[in-house]
Amino acid sequence: MTLVQALIASSVTTAADESTIGLRSTPSKKAQIPALVRAHAFATLGKMCLIDEALAKKSVPLFIREIEKSSDESVRNNVVIVMCDLCVKYTSVVDRYIAKISESMCDKSPLVRRNALSLLTQVIAEDFVKWKPLILFRFLFKLTDQCEVVSKYAEYALCVVLPRKNPTLLFNHMIDAIFVFNRCSSHPSHNNYLQSERELSLFNCSGPSPEQIARRFQIYKFLLHQLSSEQILDLHVRLHSDVLGMFADESIPIHADVLTDILNMLSWPQFKLRSITNVIHNEQNHAMNDMNEEEQEVTTKVGSIQGKLIEGFLKKHISEVVIPIIVELKRTLEKKRSPLLRQVMLYLQLIMSEYKNESSNFLIQDKQTAKEIEFDLKRISAQKEAHLVNRRISTPSSTTKVPFCTPVRSPYPTSNTNTMMTPSRRRSSVTRPTPS
């Protein structure tokens, strides 16, 4: 045990030479221990901890420190493996350190990231670790990993392991994910998690840069793909009432990235009535594969009734909830002279074109608001057309050929045969001297 503890240290102090013993000015020497030796020492210590719980309790903080501060890939990799083994044997001892272990999923080494992700997936699948919200968000973040193997591991865990343990976890934390990945904690019900600055910087995809926006929307699209038609409809309602409504009445400060993400997401085809009904139809066809004729007929009738109910609910929701909230949000942004007003108007234009009857029912009740919206929409359309025209002028088509000069017609008659020799003909007409 003493030898293992000595080899775990990054360096050891060696004794002075016999010829210099007794001299005051003789300094002690420090010898660096090779990283491979330290890695094996940590693996050995981990095996010893598996048979000694008291030693495990003393050694776990040491392992966590190496995960955070070790500069060697092999040491960090072995420590992650040891911690996951200890999680199986002493779950209560290691459980509070799971968040620290999950930080290894953002290690700079693809090997460490892959092993951390696969081992955490295994202990979750075997019920040694529960799916907690922070662990869920970190698995979602790994969907955007540059290493394809790591992203596939994360997708497997979220699509195969998670539904067996908690089928509704993704849906319950969909809105939460928007606030977490934008690092917005102003909402009273979302992103109420304590994280250190190191954790926030490791799992960070916030900001308006195109790269960060692409990463967030990759996660959002994955989440939407896992939801059923009823869950998509419920999400549509909650996004308007729980988030946009609170932005509109200024219950919470307006976060630019959160508002932009939500408006762009709500503009996707998945939230349109036609797409929701198509999802219902596909779910029915999938369920009817193993049914007889009578069961299929009953399922078809139930599905048609369900589709009509959802259609009626969504149209009523649009006219009574969505449009009033968006109009109120428009007025709030106008008071603040916010640049986000344009995005809100584009979304309102999309809603009014998709649900014309429902929009007209709302606008009939308030003619002044109807005139304002009509004027703003015309202005937005004019700006879009002007922008398109400017783009066409600034980027001419590649197929358009601009002549260098206008050809002048010769006053003399031209013969049918062209007497001008092309460069290829000139080269071919030259006779090469035959070698003597």
Side-chain angles (χ1 to χ4, degrees), residues 190-204:
H190 300 292
N191 193 19
N192 299 321
Y193 308 107
L194 295 177
Q195 297 187 76
S196 64
E197 284 298 326
R198 183 175 187 272
E199 291 173 313
L200 291 173
S201 61
L202 286 175
F203 300 92
N204 179 32

Side-chain angles (χ1 to χ4, degrees), residues 220-414:
Y220 300 155
K221 289 179 180 178
F222 171 82
L223 288 170
L224 275 181
H225 187 69
Q226 310 303 317
L227 303 184
S228 64
S229 56
E230 292 83 1
Q231 290 175 335
I232 292 177
L233 187 61
D234 192 3
L235 178 63
H236 190 278
V237 174
R238 291 169 57 197
L239 284 173
H240 285 91
S241 59
D242 295 349
V243 184
L244 297 184
M246 298 186 73
F247 283 157
D249 60 17
E250 299 186 75
S251 299
I252 58 175
I254 296 177
H255 192 281
D257 292 338
V258 172
L259 179 59
T260 303
D261 285 2
I262 291 177
L263 292 177
N264 288 331
M265 192 188 308
L266 290 171
S267 302
W268 289 349
Q270 291 90 331
F271 285 100
K272 294 183 178 180
L273 176 60
R274 187 181 305 171
S275 299
I276 294 176
T277 53
N278 288 338
V279 171
I280 295 173
H281 183 68
N282 294 333
E283 291 174 353
Q284 291 173 0
N285 291 339
H286 181 72
M288 289 190 300
N289 290 334
D290 300 329
M291 296 181 181
N292 53 35
E293 294 182 0
E294 295 181 358
E295 291 176 341
Q296 289 180 359
E297 184 178 357
V298 172
T299 304
T300 303
K301 291 181 180 179
V302 171
S304 62
I305 296 173
Q306 183 184 12
K308 291 179 181 179
L309 290 174
I310 289 178
E311 181 179 355
F313 171 79
L314 185 57
K315 289 182 177 180
K316 184 178 180 182
H317 169 67
I318 292 294
S319 61
E320 296 182 0
V321 178
V322 173
I323 296 179
I325 286 177
I326 299 302
V327 171
E328 185 64 26
L329 181 60
K330 165 185 170 297
R331 291 170 178 167
T332 302
L333 294 175
E334 284 176 342
K335 294 177 183 177
K336 297 178 177 293
R337 297 183 178 180
S338 171
L340 299 171
L341 179 61
R342 174 181 172 80
Q343 297 176 348
V344 174
M345 292 305 301
L346 289 174
Y347 176 63
L348 181 60
Q349 186 180 34
L350 178 66
I351 289 293
M352 296 182 69
S353 62
E354 184 74 17
Y355 305 95
K356 295 180 180 179
N357 295 332
E358 291 72 23
S359 303
S360 61
N361 293 336
F362 170 78
L363 296 177
I364 288 174
Q365 302 173 5
D366 192 345
K367 295 183 178 180
Q368 181 62 31
T369 302
K371 291 180 180 179
E372 293 177 1
I373 292 175
E374 184 180 0
F375 174 78
D376 291 336
L377 292 179
K378 287 181 179 179
R379 181 166 53 85
I380 291 291
S381 300
Q383 291 176 355
K384 288 173 66 176
E385 291 178 1
H387 179 68
L388 291 175
V389 170
N390 292 333
R391 286 187 62 184
R392 291 171 185 170
I393 294 174
S394 61
T395 57
S397 176
S398 58
T399 58
T400 305
K401 295 182 179 180
V402 180
F404 291 99
C405 60
T406 304
V408 179
R409 187 174 182 180
S410 174
Y412 300 100
T414 57

